[in-house]
């Protein structure tokens, strides 16, 4: 290929790259604009809901999430606080508050909040699982793990907590640790088909006990009153 031909080919390639790049940038801009438009529309809908019922914690939480995504920390925190004011046990909002502090760069406050929320539920397995799951949804795996392990220390014989730790480590692909927690959970409560299934996939043979049919009740003898003569 001659030098002149190579130059022409290079120019054509560069033009194609520029056109492709412009097209991709245009698509990205349109996607961003569409996302922002959808966010603005949803914000207006939520504001209408709050105008009708200001004490709606779910609407405040969702509105806080939208402001959070836009980087408006003050408005996001304000709506999170309102949501918690109306529902102090709203675990998703608690996790979002922790995430907000991290995004703001205030890790010490995030740690304090996470510890405070965990302490509130540490002896209540169902609430622990709710808070830990909320942490995981926010991408706060370290806080979720601390929540689960704190609960395990408080309630070591909790089948649900052991089960949740099993799933936590399974999602992290730490199968040996997952297996240990699943086994412990199954030992505490063998009526867990999902745990039995996970153990089977991890190479542990288990048997779910068959349900014992209820014993037949003896027929009652009804004595008819004597007929009057």
């Amino acid at each position: 290929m001659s030098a002149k031909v190579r130059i022409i080919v290079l120019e054509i390639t560069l033009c194609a790259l520029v056109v492709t790049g412009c097209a991709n940038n245009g698509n990205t801009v349109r996607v961003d604009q569409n996302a922002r438009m959808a966010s603005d529309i949803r914000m207006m809908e939520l504001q209408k809901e709050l105008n009708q019922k200001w004490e709606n914690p779910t609407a405040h939480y969702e509105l806080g999430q939208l402001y959070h995504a836009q980087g408006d920390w003050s408005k996001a925190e304000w709506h999170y606080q309102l949501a918690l004011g109306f529902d102090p046990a709203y675990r998703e909002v608690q996790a979002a508050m922790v995430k907000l502090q991290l995004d703001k760069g205030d890790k010490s406050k995030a740690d304090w909040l996470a510890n405070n929320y965990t302490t509130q539920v540490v002896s209540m397995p169902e609430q622990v699982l709710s808070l830990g799951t909320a942490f995981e949804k926010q991408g706060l795996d370290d806080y979720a793990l601390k929540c689960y392990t704190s609960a395990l220390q408080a309630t070591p014989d909790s089948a649900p907590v052991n089960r949740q730790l099993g799933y936590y480590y399974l999602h992290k692909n730490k199968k040996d640790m997952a297996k240990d927690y699943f086994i412990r959970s199954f030992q505490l409560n063998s009526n867990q088909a999902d745990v039995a299934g996970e153990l089977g996939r991890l190479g542990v043979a288990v048997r779910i006990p068959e349900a014992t049919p209820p014993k037949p009740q003896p027929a009652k003898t009804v004595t008819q009153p004597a007929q009057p003569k």
Side-chain angles (χ1 to χ4, degrees):
M1 183 183 292
S2 67
K4 186 175 181 180
V5 172
R6 283 198 297 270
I7 291 172
I8 293 172
V9 171
L10 179 59
E11 289 177 347
I12 293 172
T13 303
L14 288 174
C15 288
L17 290 173
V18 169
V19 171
T20 302
C22 289
N24 288 337
N25 288 338
N27 288 336
T28 302
V29 170
R30 283 195 295 273
V31 169
D32 290 344
Q33 288 176 340
N34 290 338
R36 183 57 186 261
M37 186 180 298
S39 177
D40 290 344
I41 291 172
R42 184 56 185 153
M43 280 183 171
M44 288 188 291
E45 292 173 347
L46 290 167
Q47 288 289 1
K48 288 180 180 179
E49 290 182 24
L50 290 172
N51 288 339
Q52 295 175 354
K53 186 180 180 182
W54 181 249
E55 63 277 16
N56 182 343
T58 302
H60 282 295
Y61 167 56
E62 189 177 342
L63 196 52
Q65 288 276 272
L66 293 171
Y67 282 121
H68 192 160
Q70 293 180 3
D72 195 334
W73 310 139
S74 59
K75 288 184 180 179
E77 187 162 4
W78 186 62
H79 281 287
Y80 289 158
Q81 288 174 342
L82 286 169
L84 288 174
F86 294 123
D87 184 359
Y90 204 148
R91 306 306 173 197
E92 287 79 5
V93 185
Q94 292 176 341
M97 280 288 281
V98 174
K99 178 68 163 56
L100 180 63
Q101 304 313 314
L102 290 175
D103 290 343
K104 290 168 61 178
D106 194 344
K107 188 175 186 303
S108 60
K109 186 172 182 180
D111 290 344
W112 181 84
L113 283 173
N115 183 65
N116 186 40
Y117 295 146
T118 299
T119 302
Q120 293 174 12
V121 301
V122 72
S123 60
M124 299 180 288
E126 289 186 2
Q127 295 300 317
V128 164
L129 301 186
S130 179
L131 179 59
T133 301
F135 280 141
E136 289 192 68
K137 287 180 180 178
Q138 292 288 341
L140 306 176
D141 289 357
D142 290 343
Y143 291 113
L145 180 58
K146 187 175 180 180
C147 183
Y148 298 144
T149 53
S150 297
L152 190 65
Q153 291 173 1
T155 55
D157 293 333
S158 169
V161 173
N162 279 278
R163 172 184 176 276
Q164 188 64 28
L165 275 163
Y167 276 112
Y168 176 88
Y169 284 113
L170 186 64
H171 295 156
K172 297 295 181 184
N173 203 33
K174 296 182 178 181
K175 296 183 179 180
D176 288 339
M177 296 184 72
K179 185 191 301 183
D180 290 341
Y181 285 108
F182 281 140
I183 289 173
R184 178 58 179 156
S185 180
F186 196 76
Q187 288 172 340
L188 292 166
N189 179 7
S190 58
N191 292 311
Q192 298 183 89
D194 59 336
V195 174
E198 297 297 348
L199 284 170
R201 284 184 281 275
L202 291 169
V204 180
V206 296
R207 183 174 66 86
I208 301 176
E210 296 180 1
T212 304
K215 294 181 178 180
Q217 297 294 323
K220 293 182 179 180
T221 302
V222 179
T223 304
Q224 295 290 337
Q227 294 292 329
K229 294 182 179 179

